[in-house]
Amino acid sequence: MKKLLSLSIAIILLVAFILPSTVMAQDEKSLEKAITKAKSILEISDGYDTFNYNMYQDGNGKTSYSLYWSDSKGKLGEISATIDSEGRLTNYYCYKPYDSSKDGIRIPSVSKEDALKIADKFIKKVDSSLSKKIQYQENNAPISINDTTYYFSYVRLENNIPFPQDGVTISVNNRTGEIQSYYLNWTDDIKFPKPRGVISLKKAQEAYKEKLGLKLAYKLSYDGEQKTPYLVYTNVYSDRSIDAFT
């Protein structure tokens, strides 16, 4: 009995010793892959000589690595990037020290159209398959003369139908043409119903009018500090919609 107990304890201790080592080795390998992936996309130079990272898991047990590079001399700024367990870049931000010598420059040297091309090219570099699953959302909001950044949004498409909860947001510096930030929001492990047998748009419009309706309301438009109220017909129930099948 004593021999059996001793053997059981020895096995438990051996497993306890081996398991953390195995997990640690796997984590180190995954971290190495995440770093390599980030560097291949972001072209991080050797001038960023300080590196830190955090590892975390979401509610589904998927691991992500938050990576941080900085310049000890304070000339290059900081870079942060997040790589998930699928090897995808989900978050990126680049900060560069403020250059007061350029305060006099107010006119963007990069047009919005060219900046959009830069954003598209970056998305394809991040994931060529991703670029085929998203659609650019035009934003005609006025741009302030003091703003140094263009912001672009892309929505996820499934069966050529928008899925607004998911997508990509990206920003481009309008003076340098550099990518300043990138954020991917993507829901995995879900199945989208095919749009077969849906009611017609006309029938949906009639149902919307009958069951949800419109109401008259005031909204505000902004032109600098000037606020101008205007009247609109808007939906009564902002949190309700018409089921496309029923």
Side-chain angles (χ1 to χ4, degrees):
M1 182 68 181
K2 287 183 179 180
K3 287 183 179 180
L4 183 60
L5 182 59
S6 298
L7 181 60
S8 298
I9 293 173
I11 291 173
I12 292 171
L13 290 173
L14 182 62
V15 171
F17 176 77
I18 293 174
L19 189 57
S21 300
T22 304
V23 172
M24 188 178 297
Q26 291 175 343
D27 287 341
E28 288 179 356
K29 190 173 181 180
S30 297
L31 173 62
E32 185 179 344
K33 286 183 178 180
I35 294 171
T36 302
K37 180 75 174 182
K39 283 189 172 183
S40 68
I41 296 172
L42 306 174
E43 299 178 355
I44 300 168
S45 70
D46 294 335
Y48 292 93
D49 53 5
T50 303
F51 173 74
N52 289 293
Y53 77 95
N54 285 320
M55 181 181 71
Y56 62 92
Q57 287 186 334
D58 62 17
N60 297 318
K62 292 185 177 180
T63 303
S64 289
Y65 294 91
S66 294
L67 315 172
Y68 306 91
W69 287 270
S70 60
D71 166 26
S72 60
K73 295 180 180 179
K75 294 182 179 180
L76 299 177
E78 301 175 356
I79 290 176
S80 65
T82 302
I83 304 291
D84 69 8
S85 57
E86 305 295 327
R88 294 176 300 194
L89 177 70
T90 59
N91 200 8
Y92 165 67
Y93 177 73
C94 178
Y95 162 77
K96 292 194 174 181
Y98 177 67
D99 187 355
S100 59
S101 66
K102 297 181 180 180
D103 279 350
I105 302 175
R106 295 294 182 189
I107 300 175
S109 56
V110 180
S111 68
K112 184 178 179 181
E113 292 75 17
D114 287 340
L116 179 58
K117 292 177 182 177
I118 292 171
D120 288 339
K121 185 177 179 180
F122 182 79
I123 292 172
K124 288 179 181 178
K125 183 178 181 181
V126 170
D127 187 345
S128 58
S129 62
L130 175 65
S131 64
K132 300 173 184 177
K133 299 178 181 178
I134 56 176
Q135 183 180 66
Y136 169 60
Q137 302 294 288
E138 180 66 47
N139 181 6
N140 293 316
I143 300 172
S144 170
I145 194 171
N146 296 315
D147 198 347
T148 61
T149 308
Y150 294 118
Y151 298 92
F152 303 109
S153 296
Y154 301 76
V155 67
R156 179 178 181 177
L157 293 181
E158 291 293 338
N159 301 310
N160 209 33
I161 299 170
F163 182 55
Q165 289 90 330
D166 286 359
V168 172
T169 55
I170 189 169
S171 65
V172 179
N173 188 295
N174 64 22
R175 313 290 168 84
T176 65
E178 294 175 314
I179 302 294
Q180 289 188 319
S181 66
Y182 169 90
Y183 176 69
L184 169 70
N185 185 56
W186 207 263
T187 309
D188 294 312
D189 304 324
I190 54 175
K191 188 175 181 180
F192 292 86
K194 298 290 184 181
R196 295 170 184 157
V198 297
I199 62 176
S200 67
L201 177 60
K202 183 178 180 180
K203 189 172 181 179
Q205 289 171 334
E206 291 172 352
Y208 187 93
K209 182 179 178 181
E210 176 188 346
K211 299 177 181 179
L212 299 183
L214 299 172
K215 65 178 178 180
L216 200 60
Y218 282 107
K219 287 193 174 184
L220 282 176
S221 65
Y222 296 86
D223 183 8
E225 296 183 357
Q226 181 68 35
K227 301 176 184 177
T228 305
Y230 62 98
L231 275 169
V232 297
Y233 280 102
T234 186
N235 49 318
V236 179
Y237 304 102
S238 60
D239 60 342
R240 301 183 189 180
S241 54
I242 300 298
D243 187 287
F245 291 98
T246 64

